[in-house]
Every structure is written in C-alpha cells, then in structure tokens.
Amino acid sequence: MKVVIIGGAGGIGSSAAFNLLSAQGTYEIVLVDTRPNMITSHTMDLENALGLGGTADTVRGGTPEDALDADVVVLSAAVPLRLNSSRSVFLADNARIVEECLRPVREAGADFGGVVLLLTNPVDPLLTWVHRQSRLPRERLIGYTLNDSLRLRTGIAFALGVPPKDVDAWMLGEHGEGQVPLYSRVTVGGEPVVLSDEQRAAAEEYVDTWYSKHVALDSGRTSTWTTGLGTARLIEAIATGSGTLVPASVVLDGEYGVHGTSLTVPVELGPEGVRRIADWDLPDEEAAGMVRAAARVEAGASELTDQVVAQQS
C-alpha cells in the first residue's frame, strides 16, 4: 500500500511514518513537505529503522504528485501552532494549505482512487469544505479524531482508578467544543459501567481542559505521539479491512439526523475508505448533541468562501 504523507517533515507526519513501520501490512511510505532537508533527515533515519521492522516497508521523499496514485494520502500540513483557545482560529489559514496540498488530487478528479485522511484542524469544517469543493466521494474522505475518544477513555480511567486500556468509550460529534461523549456506552473490561455524577464530572474536566492546558504550555508541539500512532492504526484498518469500528469524522448523509456535514461517528474502514457507518440508537441527550455539533461545523464550513481562502494567500 502506498501512503503519501503531506506534511511529513512535521512532528505528526514523521510520527505517523515511524509508527507505520510496526503496523500490520507492507507500506511504501512517501514523505512530502516544503522543507526538503527535514524530509531527507527523516528518510535517512527511518531507513535505518527499517532494519528493526518485521515487513519490507520502504521510505522515501517525494512530491505532491506522488498523491495521484497513492492508496492513502495523509494530510497533516498546517500553520504553526500558537497560543489559542479553539482550533477554529486556524480555519481560514489551514483551508488555504489544504487547498494547495490537495490541488493535484482535485484536478485528477475521477482518476484519483485513493483515500484522503485529513489531520489538519479544525478537521470537521475543513473536511466538509473539501467534500463540497472537490466532489470526492464521502467514502474516501476521512478526518482523524481518534484522540477525542482516547482522552475520554483516559479521563474515565483516572476517575475510576483503572488502566486506560481497559476502558472502552466513544466521543462523537465535533472535534472541539461540540464533542458528544457517549456515557451510555462505557465499558470497563468488557462490562457496562454507569458513572456516578462525580466520576462523570472528573472525566469531563479532564477531557474539556486537555486542549487548553496543552496549548497553554506554549511548547510549539501538538499531540505528536498520540496522533502519529492513531494515524498508523487507522491506515492499518484501511489496509486490512478488519471490520473493527473506529471513531472518525466523515460527511454524513442522514446518519444521526445530519446531512452534508462531517462529524465523528463509528465507522468500519477498508481499502475503499469508509465501508460502513454504524448508526447507533442514542439517548435523546446524546442525539441532540450530534445535531448541535453539526450546526457548529456547518457554521464554520460556510465561512470558507473562495474569497476568504484567497485572502490568506
């Protein structure tokens, strides 16, 4: 499987490449970035790491045109992280970058048969905009939002005093303020668990403040390790078509009462992209949260006119 990582010189892109080396399957990994020396540096390093891998993966530098025959195009390019209170502040600037990076794919039209995995934030309105602009089928547009569910699982684990790996919990909705935690589906060690009000408050405090606390550190780095490993796991799910449900942002067409807007939902992935969206029957409170999240994402996507994006150039 050919995987092209646009933004491959950055922390998340290079982390995704590194984690793919130990993922199930054999990958041709192509790193693309505007910083050629960084690409060469990562490639030289990863070439040596191949000797510790279990499969015949390859790593090389490339150009945006490599995306044209890729099975998966990972787009992690973005403006530098700065102090902020919401991912939405990057919307217009990152839309320009996404527009530029995906231009070869968009111009190829039906000749492009791969899957686009978007990591650039704010991912939901950007993915909604890309779908409307490029006319790529929604099945082949996937937004990375796994971190939200991982943070919810960690918050619940801390509240319950159990290992995070034993917790299964899902965060749907918007990757941001419109997130929808599914407390109705929490399990620990495979057994359903009902959190007390105090436990839920502790979990929510962890989840709701994680981003602001991390950005306030002003470290200049994003969630490099989590996103890199999570991206590799999603690519592995695409490659193997294992049938495992994973959280990802996709453009909905009636699922969860949402039309034409991208939100995080449980999906089954395969080489063709999204094979199936699991349309769970949610309690009224959680279902209403999905509708509110869709309204927030739609408002953001609607801001991205051609004029607004052009002004960022």
Side-chain angles (χ1 to χ4, degrees):
M1 172 173 277
K2 182 179 180 181
V3 178
V4 174
I5 303 177
I6 302 176
I12 287 177
S14 57
S15 176
F18 173 77
N19 281 285
L20 271 180
L21 300 185
S22 58
Q24 184 177 349
T26 301
Y27 302 94
E28 176 191 359
I29 303 169
V30 183
L31 303 180
V32 178
D33 204 286
T34 57
R35 295 166 287 177
N37 285 354
M38 284 291 289
I39 289 295
T40 301
S41 175
H42 284 306
T43 301
M44 292 172 65
D45 198 0
L46 290 168
E47 282 173 343
N48 295 157
L50 291 173
L52 297 174
T55 58
D57 298 314
T58 63
V59 180
R60 65 177 175 86
T63 68
E65 284 66 34
D66 273 294
L68 297 178
D69 63 348
D71 297 294
V72 179
V73 176
V74 178
L75 179 50
S76 61
V79 296
L81 184 68
R82 61 182 185 269
L83 290 173
N84 69 91
S85 58
S86 171
R87 299 172 183 88
S88 62
V89 301
F90 302 114
L91 179 61
D93 287 329
N94 279 345
R96 176 187 57 80
I97 292 175
V98 169
E99 155 76 13
E100 182 178 340
C101 291
L102 291 183
R103 182 174 293 121
V105 167
R106 190 183 70 254
E107 292 176 349
D111 291 334
F112 173 73
V115 175
V116 173
L117 178 54
L118 182 65
L119 278 57
T120 308
N121 277 316
V123 66
D124 306 297
L126 284 176
L127 198 72
T128 301
W129 176 69
V130 167
H131 175 61
R132 295 172 183 176
Q133 181 198 49
S134 68
R135 305 297 182 184
L136 285 172
R138 67 174 184 141
E139 293 81 9
R140 291 196 275 121
L141 290 171
I142 301 168
Y144 179 85
T145 56
L146 176 58
N147 292 3
D148 294 324
S149 290
L150 295 176
R151 289 166 192 161
L152 178 60
R153 294 169 191 176
T154 304
I156 291 173
F158 287 171
L160 298 179
V162 300
K165 67 180 183 62
D166 291 346
V167 178
D168 186 58
W170 292 73
M171 185 77 82
L172 304 189
E174 181 194 15
H175 181 51
E177 290 84 347
Q179 57 193 9
V180 182
L182 301 191
Y183 290 113
S184 62
R185 303 184 69 92
V186 176
T187 65
V188 176
E191 297 297 322
V193 170
V194 177
L195 273 64
S196 68
D197 291 343
E198 182 180 359
Q199 290 166 339
R200 182 182 294 198
E204 288 183 352
E205 195 277 337
Y206 177 87
V207 172
D208 292 345
T209 62
W210 193 97
Y211 180 77
S212 59
K213 286 180 178 179
H214 192 263
V215 171
L217 295 172
D218 199 18
S219 65
R221 65 179 299 276
T222 58
S223 51
T224 305
W225 310 122
T226 308
T227 306
L229 178 57
T231 297
R233 294 288 173 83
L234 288 193
I235 294 172
E236 188 175 37
I238 292 170
T240 62
S242 63
T244 302
L245 288 177
V246 294
S249 185
V250 299
V251 176
L252 302 179
D253 187 21
E255 300 90 355
Y256 297 93
V258 176
H259 296 266
T261 302
S262 191
L263 293 179
T264 297
V265 291
V267 299
E268 177 187 339
L269 302 176
E272 67 276 29
V274 179
R275 283 183 170 173
R276 178 174 69 92
I277 297 173
D279 199 352
W280 291 338
D281 186 17
L282 302 180
D284 290 346
E285 179 183 357
E286 295 172 358
M290 294 294 283
V291 175
R292 290 193 297 270
R296 286 180 51 87
V297 172
E298 177 61 36
S302 297
E303 292 179 16
L304 292 175
T305 63
D306 291 342
Q307 181 179 9
V308 168
V309 174
Q311 286 174 349
Q312 304 308 308
S313 300

